[in-house]
Amino acid sequence: MNIDTLNKNLLAEMRGRVGVIWLRRPPSNALSSKFLADLDHVLVALLNHSDVDCVVLATGLNHFSAGSETSDFITPKRGSKTELLALCKMVAASQKPIVVAVQGACLSAGLELAISAQARVALVGAQFAFPDIKLGLMPAAGSTLRLPELVGPNHALTMLLEGGAIGAEQAAEIGLIDLIVQGDLLTAACDFALKLAQGTGRLVRRDSVKDARDLQAAVVQARVRYAGRRLASYDKIINCIEAGQIFMQPQAFALEQSAYDSLLFSEDTQGLCYALLASQRFRSLTYTQTATLPNGVAQMDVQHINIFGSGELVAQLAHRALVAGLQIRLVNPEQEGLMNCLLRISVLLAQDITQGRLDPQTRDVLWARLRSSKSTDLFDSSPIFCQQSDLFDGDIYITTARQTPPPEKSILIIAQDKFDYVADPAAPLDILAFLSGFFAKMGISSYDLLRGGYVDAQIKDALSQAISYLQTQGHARDAIIATLAASGVGVDANIALPPAPPNSKPILAAIQLALINRGAIMLRENRVPRATDYDAMVVQAGLFARWLGGPLYCADRRGLMVVRADLRKLAMGAADLFTPDPLFDHMIAKGRLFTQ
């Protein structure tokens, strides 16, 4: 059959009279607007085909879907869930059975799509969740109507208001899925869908929301249990579940979409989404960017390196090192391997010339820095790089995958244009000093972002100084601690907070300004690569409410001129802590923000 929208992210095929659509958008089938539009087109084409009796949605990836694109929440658009809502409506109204085959995680928007289908078949180990509440959000494609009909109001409220994952076994018990599969998931899903199409299959539905008294009791209980939560999403989810069983379906869908949009554009949700993305970016930093040397150990001035071995990794390392200006001794006792490696290095240098990164004269200068030998003719002062094999015993192994290094060894990880390394804690300090110098020579920045490292210590020092300053201003330590607790410091956004004590506003302002100013210092001194990384460290340390995003994010939201003026006022009482860093003047003059 001819479906012209098929692309690398979607594949349709026929299994007898079952149409199968494979979702394969790495890494976890995030449901972007474009992906949903393509899926809608393919699904309509299959459902309208005379040779198709039913459809199965499946994936070859590890997870059915992790939900929507997280980055979409940072630049929200009103009606952003309209594509998903339209697709789910079409799936729910299909006259031909649609069965979703779930493996791995089925979350958020992915689960909304799944519960709109006529049935769900899951592999053992599959996980189901609506974690939207953790970002101050809620489903927006009809799930506040459909989920109670599948699992009953109590289970629906728990899933939506707690956000935790449930396994396939529990999902089957409450009616969320129709079949658990031990082996071939696709075959089982196709068989299940075909039986539904032929009228020989049967679905068991609880229809528990038909009892209005049970529904109202569940709603009342939820309102009591989740009273006092900061996030507005709690009340809106409860209201939508209640209204979804009272209003006509079009009005219920409109109410859910309106509630979602109001949450998406709220300051709390925007802060939570920013904090999530900042944390993800922070975790993506390579180890070399979070590496530090022990006190008293100086970075080595690296001028040359020794490499044992051959092959692509050796060639990549030698090429990058030559371009960085290092001298290289390349050693391999096997002539053929040595020649192949030299040929590969020459090809990489030729590509540099073709792409305009080098000229022929510079290439010749670089090539002159490379020495090759079949004997162990080494630079005595340099450690030895080698691939992990039985032939060579080097100090630093090179590989493509992060792994535990052998005792007292280090591993250099080469992944595309990124270098990373892992060192055994017992590795000699001169190897660590060499690696630090090697990365500096290669132009790879190194930041001390580890827990207990320099930046972490600076964050805690700023908080400590702010507390000391507040005490000199007459604020009791108990009042300071109570203010932090009431503001959400060190707690999740999804719990009820204690009331703020009197006069808490200046306490919280001073602490936030101290962390903002220290963040500006860390950026100016190039102690952190990005403002998002500083914010992620502060939030992860439990020193800033997650829904506020982070200190520098807050500074941007408030306005840098306003923050600078507030710092100047406090600087009269604690100049070292609150005098605005010069970076504020620079940023304001350039019209820039920290988190741009």
Side-chain angles (χ1 to χ4, degrees):
M1 62 192 310
N2 181 26
I3 299 178
D4 58 13
T5 62
L6 291 188
N7 53 48
K8 64 180 181 179
N9 294 328
L10 284 171
L11 174 67
E13 64 170 322
M14 294 296 297
R15 295 284 180 104
R17 298 191 64 82
V18 182
V20 178
I21 300 178
W22 294 95
L23 284 64
R24 48 179 194 173
R25 184 175 183 234
S28 55
N29 286 324
L31 300 181
S32 66
S33 296
K34 176 65 167 58
F35 188 46
L36 287 169
D38 288 347
L39 177 57
D40 185 288
H41 187 91
V42 175
L43 186 55
V44 168
L46 278 177
L47 291 173
N48 290 334
H49 201 283
S50 59
D51 292 335
V52 173
D53 292 337
C54 52
V55 173
V56 169
L57 302 182
T59 184
L61 304 181
N62 292 331
H63 303 288
F64 179 76
S65 176
S68 302
E69 294 271 18
T70 309
S71 57
D72 290 347
F73 302 140
I74 295 298
T75 54
K77 299 177 182 177
R78 294 200 179 275
S80 59
K81 290 287 187 177
T82 53
E83 296 93 346
L84 179 61
L85 176 60
L87 178 61
C88 289
K89 284 182 177 180
M90 186 263 287
V91 169
S94 174
Q95 296 301 306
K96 295 180 179 180
I98 299 174
V99 174
V100 176
V102 178
Q103 61 189 37
C106 183
L107 310 177
S108 192
L111 186 50
E112 292 209 76
L113 175 60
I115 67 173
S116 68
Q118 281 67 48
R120 287 143 298 283
V121 175
L123 197 63
V124 171
Q127 296 283 310
F128 303 85
F130 282 106
D132 313 64
I133 192 74
K134 297 179 181 179
L135 292 177
L137 289 170
M138 60 178 287
S143 292
T144 55
L145 285 79
R146 297 190 181 100
L147 189 62
E149 293 174 354
L150 281 175
V151 304
N154 283 300
H155 290 305
L157 285 163
T158 298
M159 288 189 69
L160 293 173
L161 297 175
E162 293 292 335
I166 62 173
E169 292 78 8
Q170 185 180 354
E173 288 176 4
I174 66 175
L176 184 63
I177 64 173
D178 301 280
L179 180 67
I180 300 178
V181 179
Q182 292 276 356
D184 188 340
L185 176 62
L186 182 63
T187 298
C190 289
D191 290 344
F192 197 90
L194 201 56
K195 289 178 181 178
L196 291 178
Q198 294 169 347
T200 59
R202 190 171 67 92
L203 298 175
V204 177
R205 294 289 180 258
R206 288 172 168 76
D207 291 329
S208 56
V209 294
K210 289 183 177 179
D211 190 329
R213 290 173 300 180
D214 288 348
L215 171 65
Q216 194 58 40
V219 166
V220 170
Q221 184 180 18
R223 286 200 172 109
V224 172
R225 181 176 181 182
Y226 296 99
R229 303 300 171 99
R230 176 186 175 88
L231 300 178
S233 46
Y234 287 94
D235 284 339
K236 291 189 181 296
I237 288 172
I238 296 171
N239 291 342
C240 283
I241 285 185
E242 182 180 41
Q245 313 309 319
I246 300 172
F247 295 164
M248 298 295 289
Q249 193 177 80
Q251 289 77 23
F253 282 147
L255 175 64
E256 187 185 66
Q257 183 71 61
S258 175
Y260 175 84
D261 279 345
S262 68
L263 293 172
L264 182 60
F265 287 85
S266 69
E267 290 187 2
D268 285 351
T269 289
Q270 286 300 293
L272 288 165
C273 291
Y274 169 84
L276 174 63
L277 286 179
S279 176
Q280 291 174 343
R281 294 187 71 189
F282 181 70
R283 289 197 301 269
S284 72
L285 288 173
T286 62
Y287 189 88
T288 57
Q289 291 172 305
T290 58
T292 183
L293 287 172
N295 291 333
V297 178
Q299 185 181 87
M300 189 177 294
D301 181 17
V302 176
Q303 298 296 327
H304 39 65
I305 63 174
N306 300 306
I307 309 178
F308 272 19
S310 60
E312 181 65 25
L313 285 182
V314 168
Q316 286 185 38
L317 176 60
H319 167 253
R320 287 284 301 274
L322 284 173
V323 172
L326 294 173
Q327 298 181 58
I328 297 174
R329 293 288 171 89
L330 180 61
V331 178
N332 192 322
E334 297 181 358
Q335 182 70 22
E336 182 179 359
L338 188 61
M339 295 305 297
N340 287 338
C341 190
L342 291 170
L343 177 61
R344 179 57 182 152
I345 296 170
S346 69
V347 168
L348 291 171
L349 290 171
Q351 290 175 353
D352 289 337
I353 295 175
T354 302
Q355 296 171 12
R357 293 189 294 266
L358 287 180
D359 55 56
Q361 294 76 20
T362 304
R363 187 269 313 274
D364 293 341
V365 171
L366 298 182
W367 190 256
R369 296 187 180 133
L370 174 63
R371 294 287 185 268
S372 60
S373 173
K374 293 173 62 178
S375 63
T376 55
D377 178 21
L378 303 172
F379 292 111
D380 293 337
S381 60
S382 294
I384 300 170
F385 289 93
C386 73
Q387 290 180 282
Q388 279 190 281
S389 72
D390 296 329
L391 299 177
F392 307 114
D393 183 24
D395 304 292
I396 305 166
Y397 293 133
I398 54 178
T399 181
T400 58
R402 180 176 286 270
Q403 54 190 272
T404 302
E408 299 189 356
K409 304 287 184 180
S410 297
I411 286 182
L412 174 70
I413 303 159
I414 301 175
Q416 297 178 345
D417 60 344
K418 293 183 179 180
F419 284 178
D420 192 357
Y421 80 85
V422 182
D424 178 68
L429 292 180
D430 60 343
I431 300 296
L432 300 181
F434 171 85
L435 280 169
S436 180
F438 171 74
F439 284 116
K441 190 73 173 184
M442 300 289 279
I444 300 174
S445 299
S446 180
Y447 303 96
D448 184 1
L449 307 180
L450 296 176
R451 180 166 295 184
Y454 180 82
V455 177
D456 185 57
Q458 287 292 311
I459 292 169
K460 293 172 181 174
D461 177 70
L463 177 63
S464 177
Q465 287 194 46
I467 292 174
S468 296
Y469 161 78
L470 288 167
Q471 289 178 303
T472 65
Q473 300 301 303
H475 297 283
R477 188 174 185 85
D478 288 346
I480 297 171
I481 294 173
T483 297
L484 291 174
S487 69
V489 169
V491 300
D492 198 289
N494 303 82
I495 68 169
L497 297 174
N503 204 29
S504 61
K505 189 174 180 179
I507 295 175
L508 191 59
I511 290 172
Q512 291 180 350
L513 287 168
L515 291 170
I516 289 170
N517 202 38
R518 192 61 56 94
I521 294 171
M522 295 296 97
L523 274 177
R524 179 179 54 79
E525 293 182 349
N526 197 33
R527 297 286 188 172
V528 292
R530 300 165 300 210
T532 54
D533 300 315
Y534 177 81
D535 281 347
M537 292 183 69
V538 176
V539 170
Q540 289 178 14
L543 304 181
F544 213 81
R546 182 172 292 275
W547 58 81
L548 295 178
L552 298 180
Y553 174 81
C554 278
D556 286 347
R557 293 291 293 263
R558 190 165 185 209
L560 299 190
M561 292 184 68
V562 174
V563 171
R564 183 179 63 179
D566 289 344
L567 283 168
R568 285 172 175 169
K569 292 176 184 177
L570 294 182
M572 292 185 290
D576 290 344
L577 183 61
F578 293 114
T579 298
D581 187 79
L583 183 59
F584 279 97
D585 295 337
H586 174 77
M587 301 282 281
I588 292 169
K590 296 290 185 181
R592 293 176 54 199
L593 299 175
F594 287 122
T595 59
Q596 281 179 325

